[in-house]
Amino acid sequence: MNVKEMKAQLLSLADTFKEKEEELTDLDRAIGDGDHGVNMERGFSHLEGNIDDSDMASLFKTTGMTLMSKIGGASGPLYGFSFVKMASVVKDEIDNDNLKELLKTFADAIAQRGKVELNEKTMYDVVERANEALQKDEKLNLEKLQSYADDTKDMVATKGRASYFKEDSKGYIDPGAQSMVYILNALMGDES
Ligand code: ADP
Ligand code: MG
């Protein structure tokens, strides 16, 4: 994928999050404070006009900085930091090898920033399992990504606001896991 194509993918997430705002808000209302849909919609709708598409590294860096300042909540710094980190490994033409590097960097960034491990019912469960699948050359698509988010349903949250719900956090998909599905799906482009 080249810079122009990636820019289009990132900008298309503004529409995706507009469409999914209610879904994410409902999930966050169940085990959080109900702002995740609005947070994601606000962050991605600000990309237009604020991103530098002169090369792929600049595109990722300015996307990260915009998300960091506009999403807010716990997820803003997590997503923002990850895009800035990915800017240091991304190539101007993303091939399968570079996509592997990107996902590894994305997952490591969330782990580092969120101090999170697998099965704590967060966005990390989706990005890390997608990373592991890709490194094993397993096929990744929207369905597979969604299955990783669905698996957070049975987990008890031990990080973030949802952890206040303890056992009651069971039975709901984690909102950040769900938003991660859409972000990864966009990053993979035609690969997914
Ligand atoms: P807030 O929790 O501040 O209201 P959001 O609702 O925007 O922020 O985002 C909540 C999501 O952030 C959660 O569903 C979870 O996936 C993710 N999250 C929260 N804390 C962490 C953490 N320490 N590590 C990884 N992800 C986290
Ligand atoms: Mg919230």
Side-chain angles (χ1 to χ4, degrees), residues 22 27 29 31 38 41 47 55 57 63-64 66-67 73 87 89 93 107 109 116 119 130 150 158 171 187:
E22 213 172 288
L27 291 175
R29 207 176 271 137
I31 59 167
V38 178
E41 200 278 315
L47 292 188
D55 56 52
T63 295
T66 307
L67 296 181
V89 298
E93 181 69 48
V116 66
N119 300 318
D150 290 346
T158 49
L187 288 185

Side-chain angles (χ1 to χ4, degrees), residues 28 31-36 39-40 71-76 78 110 113-116 121-124 159-162 174-177:
D28 197 32
I31 59 167
D33 56 356
D35 63 353
H36 193 59
N39 285 348
M40 297 306 293
I71 295 183
S75 51
L78 288 164
I110 299 286
R113 184 85 195 196
K115 299 186 174 46
V116 66
K121 196 182 181 93
T122 69
M123 54 175 68
Y124 182 66
K159 282 284 186 309
R161 247 176 241 284
D174 174 67

Side-chain angles (χ1 to χ4, degrees), residues 18-192:
K18 211 163 278 159
E19 196 183 301
K20 305 292 183 183
E21 183 183 325
E22 213 172 288
E23 174 194 48
L24 295 171
T25 293
D26 286 347
L27 291 175
D28 197 32
R29 207 176 271 137
I31 59 167
D33 56 356
D35 63 353
H36 193 59
V38 178
N39 285 348
M40 297 306 293
E41 200 278 315
R42 188 177 51 236
F44 280 90
S45 68
H46 275 90
L47 292 188
E48 179 95 68
N50 283 309
I51 44 176
D52 173 2
D53 61 359
S54 49
D55 56 52
M56 197 71 97
S58 305
L59 180 65
F60 272 67
K61 190 166 171 219
T62 52
T63 295
M65 289 178 345
T66 307
L67 296 181
M68 223 179 278
S69 69
K70 299 293 179 196
I71 295 183
S75 51
L78 288 164
Y79 280 134
F81 178 72
S82 302
F83 272 89
V84 171
K85 281 274 182 181
M86 285 190 279
S88 61
V89 298
V90 75
K91 303 228 166 86
D92 280 321
E93 181 69 48
I94 303 174
D95 57 12
N96 195 44
D97 281 346
N98 193 215
L99 189 62
K100 284 181 177 176
E101 270 185 286
L102 275 184
L103 249 73
K104 167 109 181 65
T105 305
F106 200 163
D108 288 350
I110 299 286
Q112 184 193 340
R113 184 85 195 196
K115 299 186 174 46
V116 66
E117 292 173 10
L118 275 178
N119 300 318
E120 290 197 277
K121 196 182 181 93
T122 69
M123 54 175 68
Y124 182 66
D125 288 305
V126 173
V127 70
E128 173 57 13
R129 291 182 68 194
N131 169 43
E132 287 169 5
L134 213 62
Q135 307 305 330
K136 286 188 273 185
D137 292 316
E138 281 174 23
K139 181 115 190 78
L140 264 185
N141 52 29
L142 183 60
E143 234 181 355
K144 198 80 178 279
L145 291 169
Q146 186 59 51
S147 77
Y148 300 150
D150 290 346
D151 286 344
T152 65
K153 223 175 178 175
D154 298 327
M155 298 175 190
V156 175
T158 49
K159 282 284 186 309
R161 247 176 241 284
S163 65
Y164 304 142
F165 290 77
K166 298 205 170 83
E167 280 288 324
D168 290 339
S169 64
K170 262 190 177 175
Y172 304 96
I173 293 175
D174 174 67
Q178 188 61 52
S179 62
M180 183 64 88
V181 168
Y182 304 132
I183 291 180
L184 293 180
N185 190 50
L187 288 185
M188 293 185 316
D190 291 337
E191 302 280 330
S192 61

